[in-house]
Structure formats: C-alpha cells, structure tokens
Amino acid sequence: MDTKQSLSELIAQAIAESFPQAENLPSAGEIAGFLEIPPEKEMGDYAFPCFKLSRTLRMGPPQIAARLAEAIDAGDLCQARQMGGYLNFFLNRENFARRTLEHVLASDGRWGAGEEGKGKTICLDFSSINIAKRFHIGHLSTTMIGQSLRRIFDFLGYKTVAINYLGDWGTQFGKLICAYKLWGDRQEVERDGVEALTRLYVRFHEEAEKNPALEDEGRRWFKAIEDGDAEALELFNWFKELTLKDTQRVYDLLGVTFDSYNGEAFFNDKMGRVIDELKAKNLLTVSDGASIVDLDEEKTGMPPCLILKKDGATLYATRDIAAALWRKDEYDFDKCLYVVAYQQDLHFRQWFKVVEKMGYEWAKDLVHVAFGMISYEGQSLSTRKGHVVFLEDLLLNAIYKARSIIEEKSPGLENKDEVARQVGIGAVIYADLQNNRIKDIDFSWERALSFDGETGPYVQYTHARCCSALRKAEGLDPAEPDYSALSDDYAQELLRLLSRFPETVREAAARYEPSIVTRAVTELCKAYNKFYYENRILEENAGVREARVRLTRAVRDTVRTGLWLIGMEAPERM
C-alpha cells in the first residue's frame, strides 16, 4: 500500500482489494466515506459497518467482517478485528504518529496540496458588484466563497479564472442619470463617490413613489446609453470609474483579486449569436409576442426561459448564455462556477437547460454554487430603502474593535495595527464561512470578535499559541523524537485530524463548500488546545519534547494553510 495515503484511504483500499472478484463493489473512495469513529475508545479508532456490502456480496455482516479481518494487512499501522457486524481498526499509535508527522512536515507547509487539477481550468464567477452602488455586506458571501474556492482549486493544481461579472447594464443607470441631472452636484459626487450616488439612487425611488413619471424619464436615459448618447455615456462611465475605485479598497482589505471584470455591458454585442443559434436550431418560439425556449415544464418543473421581451429587449438569461459561450471559447473551462444567492436557482437551472438543448455537452459543467442571505444584527438589507451596511464600513469597524480588544488583552504586543487588521478582517471572513454556505447568516459583532468558542480570533490565537511554543523551543538541543509520547488520546485526536486534512480539502472542492475547511481548522484548534493544557510542550525529556514540538509545528502549518484556503491571515503573535 502507498504510504502517502491517509489512514482512512489505506483502510478503504484494503477493504476494496479484499474481494477482487466481486462485482459492483463500492469504490475505495466510497468505502472511505462509510468509515465511522466508534463511540467508545475500547472499540478502536475506526470502524467499518459491513452491512454496507451485504447486498453486493450476499453475505451477512459478521461473515464479511470475519473475512476482512483475516484478509487485511495494514502492516505496522493498525490491526483489524471483527466486532459483530463491524470491522474495527486499532492503531499502532506510535507508528501512526511517526507516519503522520513525517508526511505533514515533509510537505513544507503545503499539507493537502495536490496536482489532480493539472491541465484543467475552472472559471469562478463571483462577487459581481453593481456599478454605482457601494459594496455592501450582502456581497460578502459571494466574494469570500468565491475567493476561498479559487484558493482551494489552485491548491489542488487547477488553473483558475476569477471573474467579476459587473452589474453594469440596466434601467437603474438611466434612473441614476435622471437623479443626478435633477439633484446631483458634481463636486459632491467627486468628493463622496459612490456614497453620493447611493443617496441619489435612494432619493430617486422615494421621489418616484410620489411622481411615477420619473420612472419613464429613467428609462429614457437608459435608452440614451444604449443608443450611444455622448452625455449619457460620459456620466455612465464616470459612475463606473467611481465604483471600481471604491470597491478596490474593499478588495484590498479582503485580499481578493480578479482576472476579469467583463460584466453585462461587455456581452451587449454578443447576444446576436445566442438568438441566431436558437433560431437555427428551432428552439426559439414566440409566446404572447415574447421569444422563449420551451423547457417542457411537465418533465423539468421549469417554466419557459424568456429570451427576448415583446419589444425585443434581451434579459439576464440571454446575457448569461452569451457569457457562457464566450467563456468556453476563451478559457475552454472544465467547470464554470456561479457563486450566486439561492434565490436565483430557477434562473440558473433554466438557462443551463437552454445551453443543454442547444447541443453543448459542456452544459453539465455549469454549476450554480448557491448561498444563503446575510443580515446584520437581525436586520435585513435593502439598498432602495437605505437599509444597508456597507462592507468597507463593516471591515474598518471590525479592525477598530479588534484593536480595542488587543489593547486590553495584549497591551505590550508589537505591530498592534497590523494584528488588528488581520484579526478584524479574519473575524468577518470566519463568521461568513463558518457554516454551510446555503444557510442564512445574521452577522453579530459579539459573536464574530469573541476569543472564546468557534470564532476567527479563537482560531488565529491558537496559531499564535503554536508559534509562541515553537519560538521557545528554538535553540534547544535537537533530539530523536520519541513518538511513543504521542500515544495519549489528546495527541492521537490531533494526529487523526491532521491525517484527514488532505481529504478535507478535496471534499470542500467536490462540494464547493469552504465551510468544510473552516470547521476542520476549528476542530484542529480545539484539539490542540486540549493537548496543550494536558501536555507540557517543552518537556525536560528531549525525545518527548521533540515529538511534541513536531506535533505543534505540524498543527501550526496546517492551521495556517487552512486559514489561507478560506482567505484569512495567520498572525504569529496576538
């Protein structure tokens, strides 16, 4: 067996190879997913429920367990024993510690990295800010989920293309020009940037409720943009420039970068291809004056996909299909991920289906990575009504609050401002990526900035604790590690979590779920803190000390890697 495989992979492969003649046997990867942690220590370290193979092998679980126990040879790593209908595995704890730490430390800080993505490209469409609107907390999830997935796939060897699909087309820009012409002041807009534009946007909707004719005026100005009117384009491009300047400050704080800012306007002249292809393939039909693609609602549960309005205007679906075709031609992606809130699920299912009906087999490679909504201290957000928390304000406030906490807890700390930035930004990111992405999030200062429990500061503090212990160990005489000193339950739980980290990264990639990494890093930190309180790292016995120092170094490196994968920094002192 390959000694570079994780323990669960070794066990799963051994099980799969024990019935070489059997047909329809689950793969080693599937078997690894069936492995359980026994509820009692006396029952071993891992257990395989043999009833999972009963139907395939036509044998009772106890008979399967007995045969596996006799056939499996895991060398010096573990022993397999039948326990009823389960096959239970008991580790050789000393050898498991040696093997795990050798692998983690040999990875040079890249434990869990891989090359399975070599030669493959993944496009990630995320963040997708709206021009002339400030970056608000509602864009946090798409930005950080997308950034984390980009790093995870990079880590596994893929070429990634990060795309910020700008919301830079639509009647809202005509409304904004209308508002600016009626109430705007150029000096004020230059000074306050998008904040001034937001005030104008909010005022437009307030005034339009009293004077509906303003809506027609807004549509007239958008038509002027479409027709290339010089004044309309000058104002539109100015609004766009102010927005990108404003949002860049936020991206710099978050450490987020993009390869493309091609938004809706970029594809305005590329929709003809979509319309022509749909007509040529007899997919486009007219219904009540509008052009649609029928999706066979009885079978798919989806209503027709609207491609052109009665007046010939295109829609989001038309634009998204044009963008997908262009990206396939430009990047030849293996997957194209769309990190967009779950409310858009029907929209994506519809136009994905249209691409499939157009005959493109790569339609299966289009993936909607949905996520829940975010609220702030119990309040939902609405730009139109002015109920909004701007992300830059949130991040700067997080840094300020983190600085206050550091001043109280660590008054002698050097580089307080830098650490406050790392901790404050990290707290916001962690709060966003802590739970499954599909869950709605209510952001709370008290929870996010706590140093206790499952929070960003707690995880970062554990990393700093590891760094502190390693600094104290510098200069001590080197020794041969005594891995038997890592046979206690606290050390073994740490080693088990470390050994599973590569699988964790791959599971996060397969499920497009950064929270899997977040939770794994949190569990690793919790386990290390228990180990730290129960074991003296700088033990007088040199062999014991060396083993515990190596374990601490492996934890530090893996926590740092995990934090990087979710977009957080890892302070060395806190």
Side-chain angles (χ1 to χ4, degrees):
M1 289 181 281
D2 184 357
T3 58
K4 291 186 179 180
Q5 291 176 291
S6 71
L7 179 61
S8 57
E9 288 172 332
L10 283 171
I11 291 172
Q13 183 176 326
I15 292 172
E17 291 174 349
S18 296
F19 295 91
Q21 305 305 319
E23 296 182 358
N24 301 318
L25 195 71
S27 67
E30 292 172 315
I31 291 172
F34 298 150
L35 291 175
E36 302 174 359
I37 305 298
E40 304 293 337
K41 293 291 183 184
E42 296 74 20
M43 300 172 70
D45 299 283
Y46 285 90
F48 176 69
C50 293
F51 66 85
K52 296 284 188 180
L53 303 180
S54 289
R55 178 174 295 182
T56 301
L57 298 176
R58 297 182 181 179
M59 295 171 62
Q63 289 75 29
I64 296 173
R67 177 169 170 180
L68 285 172
E70 184 177 334
I72 287 176
D73 176 14
D76 295 329
L77 194 57
C78 63
Q79 291 183 340
R81 301 179 197 169
Q82 176 197 356
M83 300 185 78
Y86 283 78
L87 183 67
N88 288 37
F89 295 87
F90 295 77
L91 292 176
N92 179 317
R93 293 191 163 195
E94 179 179 349
N95 288 345
F96 177 54
R98 176 185 292 105
R99 176 185 181 277
T100 301
L101 292 183
E102 285 177 352
H103 289 168
V104 176
L105 297 176
S107 69
D108 195 25
R110 288 181 55 81
W111 177 236
E115 295 186 359
E116 52 263 54
K118 188 174 182 180
K120 298 179 181 178
T121 297
I122 292 185
C123 289
L124 300 101
D125 179 328
F126 65 99
S127 198
S128 301
I129 57 166
N130 294 313
I131 295 303
K133 292 183 182 178
R134 281 192 70 189
F135 205 151
H136 61 75
I137 193 174
H139 282 90
L140 177 63
S141 291
T142 174
T143 302
M144 296 321 302
I145 291 170
Q147 171 74 352
S148 178
L149 290 176
R150 182 188 194 185
R151 290 187 174 188
I152 288 169
F153 283 110
D154 279 341
F155 198 60
L156 296 178
Y158 291 85
K159 175 186 176 183
T160 59
V161 181
I163 301 168
N164 196 330
Y165 184 62
L166 299 177
D168 57 359
W169 201 250
T171 55
Q172 66 268 32
F173 300 110
K175 295 176 182 179
L176 189 57
I177 291 176
C178 176
Y180 175 75
K181 295 288 288 183
L182 288 172
W183 311 296
D185 176 86
R186 191 172 187 92
Q187 287 186 334
E188 180 184 348
V189 174
E190 285 283 5
R191 184 187 70 241
D192 296 344
V194 180
E195 190 172 334
L197 297 179
T198 301
R199 291 196 295 266
L200 288 171
Y201 187 73
V202 171
R203 183 172 179 181
F204 178 90
H205 286 282
E206 290 173 347
E207 297 290 341
E209 289 181 4
K210 295 178 281 187
N211 180 14
L214 284 174
E215 295 283 354
D216 292 331
E217 184 68 6
R219 282 189 283 271
R220 187 183 72 78
W221 273 108
F222 179 60
K223 182 69 164 54
I225 296 174
E226 289 184 305
D227 293 343
D229 176 81
E231 183 184 12
L233 286 178
E234 187 274 328
L235 290 172
F236 173 62
N237 289 327
W238 179 42
F239 296 161
K240 186 171 180 177
E241 178 186 328
L242 289 171
T243 307
L244 292 176
K245 182 179 178 181
D246 187 79
T247 55
Q248 191 57 51
R249 295 195 304 270
V250 178
Y251 289 134
D252 288 344
L253 283 171
L254 293 171
V256 176
T257 59
F258 294 92
D259 301 300
S260 168
Y261 283 88
N262 289 335
E264 294 179 62
F266 178 79
F267 296 101
N268 198 44
D269 63 352
K270 297 173 177 58
M271 289 179 286
R273 173 186 173 184
V274 176
I275 307 302
D276 292 344
E277 277 198 43
L278 289 173
K279 288 179 178 177
K281 294 173 180 177
N282 296 316
L283 293 172
L284 205 61
T285 57
V286 177
S287 175
D288 294 328
S291 296
I292 64 169
V293 175
D294 181 63
L295 301 180
D296 196 351
E297 189 168 2
E298 286 190 11
K299 288 184 178 179
T300 66
M302 290 185 285
C305 183
L306 189 59
I307 301 297
L308 294 172
K309 294 181 181 179
K310 291 181 181 180
D311 61 2
T314 56
L315 294 101
Y316 285 124
T318 327
R319 215 169 289 271
D320 280 338
I321 294 168
L325 294 174
W326 185 88
R327 290 171 186 173
K328 185 63 178 178
D329 290 342
E330 181 72 12
Y331 304 117
D332 192 23
F333 57 74
D334 293 271
K335 292 280 184 184
C336 188
L337 311 184
Y338 296 83
V339 186
V340 181
Y342 64 72
Q343 286 91 337
Q344 298 298 317
D345 178 65
L346 176 60
H347 165 75
F348 281 101
R349 288 195 296 121
Q350 283 182 301
W351 77 258
F352 287 177
K353 189 67 175 177
V354 173
V355 175
E356 179 186 325
K357 290 174 74 70
M358 291 172 77
Y360 293 109
E361 60 85 23
W362 50 264
K364 70 182 187 312
D365 301 321
L366 303 172
V367 181
H368 176 206
V369 180
F371 60 85
M373 299 303 290
I374 190 166
S375 57
Y376 177 76
E377 301 285 6
Q379 270 200 317
S380 59
L381 308 171
S382 172
T383 306
R384 286 190 177 187
K385 296 179 179 179
H387 298 160
V388 63
V389 177
F390 297 122
L391 190 51
E392 184 178 20
D393 295 344
L394 178 76
L395 296 173
L396 294 177
N397 201 10
I399 294 170
Y400 173 79
K401 287 179 179 289
R403 182 67 162 80
S404 301
I405 293 171
I406 290 169
E407 193 66 56
E408 177 187 343
K409 291 181 175 288
S410 305
L413 181 68
E414 297 179 1
N415 301 319
K416 290 179 188 175
D417 290 339
E418 175 66 7
V419 175
R421 182 191 63 77
Q422 294 174 321
V423 173
I425 301 296
V428 174
I429 294 172
Y430 185 97
D432 188 66
L433 298 183
Q434 179 181 14
N435 298 311
N436 289 351
R437 56 180 162 79
I438 204 64
K439 287 188 177 181
D440 292 340
I441 299 168
D442 179 31
F443 186 88
S444 161
W445 285 118
E446 186 176 352
R447 288 195 305 270
L449 284 167
S450 173
F451 278 67
D452 301 315
E454 299 179 3
T455 65
Y458 170 80
V459 174
Q460 289 174 316
Y461 184 76
T462 305
H463 176 268
R465 167 171 280 168
C466 291
C467 291
S468 176
L470 293 172
R471 283 194 299 271
K472 292 175 182 177
E474 290 176 1
L476 297 177
D477 293 335
E480 190 66 25
D482 178 6
Y483 289 112
S484 67
L486 302 179
S487 296
D488 63 281
D489 290 345
Y490 299 103
Q492 288 291 305
E493 175 64 8
L494 264 180
L495 291 160
R496 186 180 68 81
L497 292 170
L498 286 169
S499 73
R500 272 194 50 80
F501 189 72
E503 298 169 59
T504 296
V505 176
R506 282 150 185 80
E507 183 184 358
R511 292 170 53 186
Y512 314 113
E513 186 59 84
S515 67
I516 293 173
V517 175
T518 311
R519 288 196 296 270
V521 172
T522 304
E523 290 304 311
L524 187 60
C525 290
K526 288 162 64 176
Y528 181 77
N529 286 320
K530 290 178 182 178
F531 168 79
Y532 181 87
Y533 284 119
E534 294 295 331
N535 294 277
R536 187 166 178 262
I537 306 299
L538 302 184
E539 178 62 49
E540 290 183 9
N541 182 295
V544 173
R545 180 181 67 233
E546 182 63 24
R548 291 175 180 170
V549 165
R550 290 191 181 193
L551 179 55
T552 297
R553 184 175 296 115
V555 171
R556 179 203 63 184
D557 291 353
T558 305
V559 170
R560 181 183 296 166
T561 295
L563 289 177
W564 180 83
L565 289 173
I566 61 173
M568 288 175 62
E569 294 183 49
E572 295 188 2
R573 299 174 190 265
M574 284 179 66

